[in-house]
Structures are given as C-alpha cells and as structure tokens.
Amino acid sequence: MLFISNIMLWKTNLAARRAWRSLMLRLNSATAGLSSGPGFWDRSDGLSCVSAEKPPHMPVMLKEVLHYLDVQPAQVVLDMTFGGGGHTKAILNTASEVTVLALDRDPTAISLAQQLAKEHSGRVKPLLGRFSELEALLSNMNIKSGSIDAVLLDAGCSSMQMDQAERGFSLSKDGPLDMRMDGERYPDMPCAADVVNTLDQQALASILTAYGEERHARKIASAIVEARRVNPITRTQQLASVVAGAFPPGVVYARKDRLQRRAHIATKTFQALRIFVNDELNELHTGLCVAQSALKPGGRLCVITFHSLEDRLVKRFLQGHDLSNLDQYHFSQNKQGSRKKKLVDEDSECNKSSYWFPVKRKVVNPEKDDVRENPRGRSAKLRIALRQ
C-alpha cells in the first residue's frame, strides 16, 4: 500500500505518528477482508470515480507566464502541472517547433494531454506521475540533466478537480470526502475520509494548524471527533456542517477572501486536508529540486502558487535555503523566532542562491481584470528565476 511516509509533521509529533500507524493498520485490515470494528466507513462510495465531463479551464496568469518564460523556437519546455492544458496550448502557439513535456499526477489531466499530443504530433509528450516521480520519468525518456530550456510549475489544485463533486475537493458541492489527486492510480492511498475518521484529536489539530494555518484548529478537531462518534464523516458537506456547527451561526461566513467575498469557516480545514492527503508541500519541494537539475544554465523557471505555505517554500528555495526539513519553515511561525529575527535582507550574501538569479525581486500578482474573469486565480503568486 502506498501511503504518505515523508511528512515532517509525523516525525515531530509522536501522537500523530501513532495515530497514522493506526490508520494504516486499519485500512490494511479492511483491504484483507478482516473486520475493522464498528463504524468502519465504506470507501467505495464513488471515491475513485472520475467524471467524463470536461469543465471549462482558464489558465492562471497566462500573459505573465508567456512573457517570463520567453519561449523560443525549437526549445523544450517542461509543464509540470498540465491540468486542463491551457498553459501548454499557449506555449505551443507562441513559437514554432516547441516541444512540451506535459506532467500531471491526475490521470484525467493526462487523458487531455494525450488528446493534445494527437493534435500536435511529436510536440507534446504526456507524463503521468507526481513531482517525486519526475526524475525517473525524464530518465526513461533519455532526457538528461541540464537539457530543458524552461519550466512552468503551477502548484495546487486544478479547476477540473474542484468542479467535480465526486472528487471531494469542494465544500460547496456535496460528494464523497476523497481529495486524492491520483486516487485512480493508488486506490489504497488514504483519502480525506480516512484522515478525519481515524486520526486522534491532537493529530487532526496538528494538520489543521500546519497546513491550513487555522487559528481554531483545536476547536474544529474536537468537533470532528465528537461528530464521528455518532456517524462516520464521509461526505464533503457533512464535514463542512460539522465544522460550521462548532461556531455561532454569525461566524460561519464571517471570513472574507481577497475579493472581499464571504468565505465558509471550513475553507482552511478543506485546504489542510487536501495538502496533507496529497503530500503537496513535500511534492512541491521535490519538484523544485528536479526543475533545478533539469534546466539548462540560463533556463527559466516560473512557479505559480496559491497560498502562503507554497509561496513561502518557493521563495526560500529560490533564495538557496536548506529545506531538507520542511518543518523548520512552514509550520508554526513561533518555531522561527520573532518577526524581527526572521526578516533577513534578501540581498545579503548569506541569502543568495548559487543556483538561481531572480528575474523579479517582487512576486507577480494577477491583474484586476484577470481576477474578475477568473476569481479562482485571485490568490495566485508568480515567481520567476533564471538557472545560473
């Protein structure tokens, strides 16, 4: 069984590590046809189902990506998150004889990449896999280190995943509480329902704090544990209701997003579970390392992130920080000392990377018109660097 084994949270939290081991034992017992005890939930309720419907996909910050990638004829570009293919299609139309290596961990996205490959014979190479599998995939294609001209990494969850209720990503659409990006490939991998129904209260609170930066993590974790004693939590809107029930009615939509629209109180809970289930931060770090190895000297890297955890990781990576232990930077801010101590001059010699030269010192945000057309891209941040 494949499971998330390298999340730093579990290396530093004994209670969480024990709870995670318990989860794996329970799932293994269920797989073997053994009794899993009273209240074990049925994970077969559409959790691995993927809709054939192809909702519209709008690539984020397309103009900015094309500008900073600066793709030239006959170059090789690695699109590390193909998604709906919007960025890849634009790259193909930008310059002649460009070859795009289209990676995605989601089989649904790769099916779209395969269709695009038929339309552009020899110019699109679909690659099914995670960032952590990319090095082997490139090696199998005889693509050597330092041979790629440009890399685009669009982190986070795609619109296709969010729009399909049966994938379990969206709290506004009722569906099985899944959230796995590649559940088809690894049907035994723990899903969000496994997490909320098995891990203890302390472990759940740790996840919500670490990956959702949720201030009310303990309160929400307590509500989840109480609710699952009555019935297992197996649906997205069921979980949203449990989280909302822990707060007064007036607080449920008190938070606002960057467009000043009301956001559900469970939004950060859903984000935290999704990041944890898919091991997104460790995958992102691995992806950045592979991009660093794959790019030619002078090659361009564009990275789009959608929340502070991702952006913080990318920023530190491009500055040359040692991120071998992610727990040192993306968990509780108290672990990093006072704000004054954390503010290091980006131009100081100790904070410069020997691998990357920033094309822009400041992060690039989407334009107001783009946000109005595609509200989901409102939190996007683009960082650009040259491989030295």
Side-chain angles (χ1 to χ4, degrees), residues 25-239:
L25 290 173
R26 191 174 187 182
L27 291 180
N28 279 324
S29 297
T31 302
L34 301 177
S35 173
S36 298
F40 189 81
W41 60 98
D42 181 8
R43 298 178 64 209
S44 64
D45 183 21
L47 288 182
S48 62
C49 175
V50 177
S51 172
E53 180 184 357
K54 299 179 180 61
H57 174 76
M58 185 175 295
V60 176
M61 302 181 72
L62 182 58
K63 292 183 296 184
E64 293 85 350
V65 166
L66 294 178
H67 172 71
Y68 287 112
L69 279 181
D70 190 26
V71 179
Q72 301 299 315
Q75 285 189 336
V76 177
V77 179
L78 173 59
D79 185 348
M80 293 182 64
T81 36
F82 180 81
H87 287 117
T88 288
K89 292 175 184 176
I91 291 170
L92 292 171
N93 294 329
T94 297
S96 61
E97 300 180 14
V98 172
T99 300
V100 178
L101 308 176
L103 175 77
D104 207 291
R105 66 189 290 178
D106 190 336
T108 303
I110 288 301
S111 67
L112 298 180
Q114 290 169 342
Q115 294 177 18
L116 189 64
K118 293 178 182 178
E119 300 171 10
H120 299 270
S121 180
R123 298 183 63 196
V124 178
K125 310 291 185 182
L127 299 172
L128 174 61
R130 304 177 176 188
F131 296 155
S132 55
E133 299 168 321
L134 177 56
E135 187 174 10
L137 290 171
L138 294 177
S139 177
N140 290 340
M141 295 183 66
N142 295 319
I143 296 175
K144 298 180 180 179
S145 298
S147 63
I148 291 176
D149 298 286
V151 173
L152 169 63
L153 198 164
D154 184 353
C157 189
S158 76
S159 295
M160 294 188 303
Q161 292 164 340
M162 293 295 294
D163 288 337
Q164 294 171 356
E166 64 269 30
R167 302 293 296 271
F169 287 95
S170 175
L171 64 85
S172 63
K173 298 179 180 181
D174 189 42
L177 189 58
D178 190 342
M179 298 192 188
R180 295 171 298 176
M181 292 180 177
D182 46 7
E184 277 191 17
R185 299 181 66 209
Y186 305 110
D188 291 332
M189 184 179 75
C191 66
D194 297 322
V195 176
V196 300
N197 286 290
T198 303
L199 296 187
D200 63 28
Q201 184 172 326
Q202 181 180 346
L204 288 172
S206 297
I207 291 172
L208 300 184
T209 300
Y211 299 113
E213 296 182 303
E214 174 58 71
R215 293 178 298 170
H216 306 291
R218 292 183 180 180
K219 188 173 187 178
I220 294 172
S222 176
I224 290 173
V225 171
E226 288 297 320
R228 76 189 189 193
R229 288 173 181 165
V230 180
N231 287 304
I233 302 171
T234 60
R235 310 287 297 183
T236 54
Q237 291 195 345
Q238 182 186 4
L239 176 59

Side-chain angles (χ1 to χ4, degrees), residues 8-41:
M8 300 304 171
L9 174 63
W10 308 122
K11 293 183 178 179
T12 58
N13 189 319
L14 180 60
R17 188 164 67 247
R18 287 173 176 170
W20 187 250
R21 189 182 302 118
S22 173
L23 183 155
M24 300 313 305
L25 290 173
R26 191 174 187 182
L27 291 180
N28 279 324
S29 297
T31 302
L34 301 177
S35 173
S36 298
F40 189 81
W41 60 98

